[in-house]
Amino acid sequence: MSTSNPLLSELPHREIPGTYGPAFFGPIKDRYDYFYCQGREEFFKSRIQKYDSTVFRTNMPPGPFISSNSKVIAVLDAVSFPILFNTDKVEKKDVFVGTYMPHLDFYGGYRPLAYLDPSEPQHKALKSFLFALFTSLHRKFIPNFQSCLSELFTILENEISEKNIADFNTNSESISFNFVFNMFTQRYPSESPIGSSGPEIAKKWVTLQLAPIGTLGNKYIPSFIDDLLVHTVQLPFCLVKSDYEKLYHAFYAMASSVLDQAEKVGIRRGEACHNLVFISAFNSFGGMMVLFPTLIKWVAYGGEDLHRRLAEEIRAIVKTSGVSFIGLEKMALTKSVVYETLRIEPPVPFQYGRAKEDLVINSHDASFVIKKGEMIFGYQPLATKDPKVFVNPNEFVADRFVGEEGEKLKKYVYWSNGRETDDPTPDDKQCPGKDLVILWCRLLLVEFFLRYDTFTAESGENTGFGPPVKITSLRKAN
């Protein structure tokens, strides 16, 4: 809840606790706490405990010298977090990755849709174009993805047969990139100069953009060296320039019909193509790269009982409704598993927005004034594991969203830069492909449990590109 008048809030008013510390050194200290001394989760949880508040002031990486202003107001509960969805109150211009923006060279000199505020005319034009594009392709989503999944499962089976273990991430990344490229071009990367290098090119391009909010992840590199290399100067576009040009020219040549449609609605062809690359390589492929292994990890943790229940539901409904949009919508447990995965480990953990006016936001137990121009930051994994909303919030509960009470909880699933119960529009910042992501996750489970009764897997800590998952066994359905 937000309002422009603190007198309208029924909760007691409280000054926002926390401090930014001294100029220059305060942001660096917080950066070291965040990356090296405490780690991400403890960084936030320790401050919640210290201030007895889920709303507080702090600095967010990268800080000096990449970001000129690292000061944020953190909102870390299910009540305060949604202020970030209200684009009447919060500006989303150039804050997609945080308190800095990668150089425009990464996007051909254009600001892509993700960095535009809905108040900017080009935002509506680009997002409306995407909606029209998705609508024109919707009949191909299921059969094309089924074909890619069949290829993935065959590869996994062969690796397990040969090595007794299969790398889910690498193989799923390959089929995901092929699927996304084919979705927009009706061709495969193998027919272009990209060849089989698409996933590596896309990951390298994304990594250079996100480096200031990550680490090298090498335990043998001292923290001060790691910090110097990735948090003080942005890595230059020239390191990926030739690869990105391959990607861009492949889409430019092979997605000509899509680009023709963009020109018809007034979008420049080059701008449309750079946005298509961003949507394909960053949003779609990048999302799949994180979300698919996360989904498999949590389903693996569910064990044989969950696998049996999923298989029974999926096979019974497919028998009567086929693998169809109607059939997928009937699969209550399958849907719940996807929502629970998005809740417990959302693929995009951060949201940012700048207050367009003086605001009053509420947490569960207090109201706070945010001044015009202040940056608001949300760490989603804490908001979607809010113990005042979810019972056993840190546990994966497969059927959490089943039934009438489960349906009520869907509004607290925030992974798409909006509530799960909301539909994206050209006038908001909710992910335009929200429903496609849900569809692909459901299809992954459906095709998996049509083919297998159960499986086992090993997984590690999320590296930023999803948790590493190794499939150790697959038991085929009779």
Side-chain angles (χ1 to χ4, degrees), residues 377-424:
F377 159 79
Y379 181 59
Q380 192 162 277
L382 289 184
T384 54
K385 291 197 284 281
D386 188 332
K388 294 187 178 181
V389 172
F390 296 102
V391 177
N392 299 323
N394 297 308
E395 294 182 16
F396 183 86
V397 181
D399 55 1
R400 189 184 295 274
F401 297 96
V402 173
E404 184 177 347
E405 292 303 311
E407 286 289 322
K408 292 178 182 178
L409 290 174
K410 281 170 53 179
K411 67 181 180 180
Y412 297 108
V413 180
Y414 299 147
W415 71 274
S416 64
N417 199 7
R419 296 182 185 274
E420 183 56 37
T421 49
D422 294 338
D423 293 319

Side-chain angles (χ1 to χ4, degrees), residues 6 97 102 242 334 367 377 395 404 441 443:
V97 294
S242 61
T334 304
S367 65
F377 159 79
E395 294 182 16
E404 184 177 347
C441 288
L443 277 173

Side-chain angles (χ1 to χ4, degrees), residues 8-217:
L8 296 180
S9 176
E10 297 179 357
L11 293 171
H13 172 69
R14 182 180 176 188
E15 291 296 321
I16 299 175
T19 177
Y20 300 121
F24 187 80
F25 295 104
I28 291 178
K29 180 185 181 302
D30 282 349
R31 187 168 78 201
Y32 266 78
D33 282 348
Y34 181 89
F35 287 118
Y36 311 113
C37 301
Q38 294 179 302
R40 191 163 71 183
E41 291 284 327
E42 183 58 27
F43 178 87
F44 296 118
K45 289 179 179 178
S46 65
R47 284 155 178 77
I48 290 174
Q49 185 176 21
K50 177 180 179 180
Y51 302 128
D52 190 26
S53 176
T54 51
V55 177
F56 55 82
R57 299 182 184 276
T58 189
N59 297 286
M60 281 301 295
F65 296 92
I66 294 174
S67 172
S68 61
N69 187 350
S70 59
K71 298 176 181 178
V72 303
I73 296 170
V75 290
L76 305 179
D77 60 79
V79 177
S80 61
F81 191 93
I83 186 61
L84 290 161
F85 309 149
N86 188 340
T87 52
D88 290 332
K89 305 287 186 181
V90 172
E91 183 183 67
K92 306 289 273 188
K93 181 179 180 180
D94 297 342
V95 298
F96 178 63
V97 294
T99 60
Y100 75 101
M101 182 177 176
H103 198 280
L104 290 183
D105 286 350
F106 281 96
Y107 321 117
Y110 296 98
R111 290 168 58 232
L113 176 62
Y115 287 96
L116 299 177
D117 186 75
S119 63
E120 300 176 81
Q122 199 65 357
H123 179 278
K124 187 167 187 176
L126 286 167
K127 199 168 182 182
S128 297
F129 167 67
L130 282 182
F131 285 142
L133 178 59
F134 293 156
T135 299
S136 70
L137 297 173
H138 82 281
R139 292 185 179 178
K140 299 178 180 180
F141 291 144
I142 291 179
N144 286 12
F145 198 51
Q146 285 177 306
S147 176
C148 288
L149 288 174
S150 178
E151 179 183 351
L152 171 63
F153 298 152
T154 298
I155 294 170
L156 294 177
E157 289 171 15
N158 289 340
E159 283 195 10
I160 288 176
S161 177
E162 295 173 5
K163 307 174 186 177
N164 295 319
I165 196 167
D167 186 332
F168 180 84
N169 297 58
T170 300
N171 292 309
S172 67
E173 286 167 13
S174 178
I175 70 102
S176 294
F177 187 88
N178 289 347
F179 170 73
V180 170
F181 190 88
N182 178 261
M183 180 171 67
F184 292 120
T185 68
Q186 312 308 308
R187 307 277 287 279
Y188 286 99
S190 58
E191 302 173 64
S192 78
I194 297 173
S196 61
S197 62
E200 289 74 24
I201 290 174
K203 285 176 72 172
K204 182 179 178 182
W205 177 67
V206 172
T207 297
L208 290 179
Q209 297 172 59
L210 299 182
I213 55 173
T215 68
L216 296 176

Side-chain angles (χ1 to χ4, degrees), residues 271-304:
E271 182 177 12
C273 191
H274 284 293
N275 270 276
L276 194 60
V277 173
F278 191 96
I279 291 153
S280 302
F282 200 121
N283 295 138
S284 300
F285 169 71
M288 291 175 164
M289 183 169 55
V290 174
L291 187 51
F292 287 169
T294 304
L295 178 62
I296 292 298
K297 178 190 82 170
W298 287 108
V299 173
Y301 285 170
E304 285 197 42

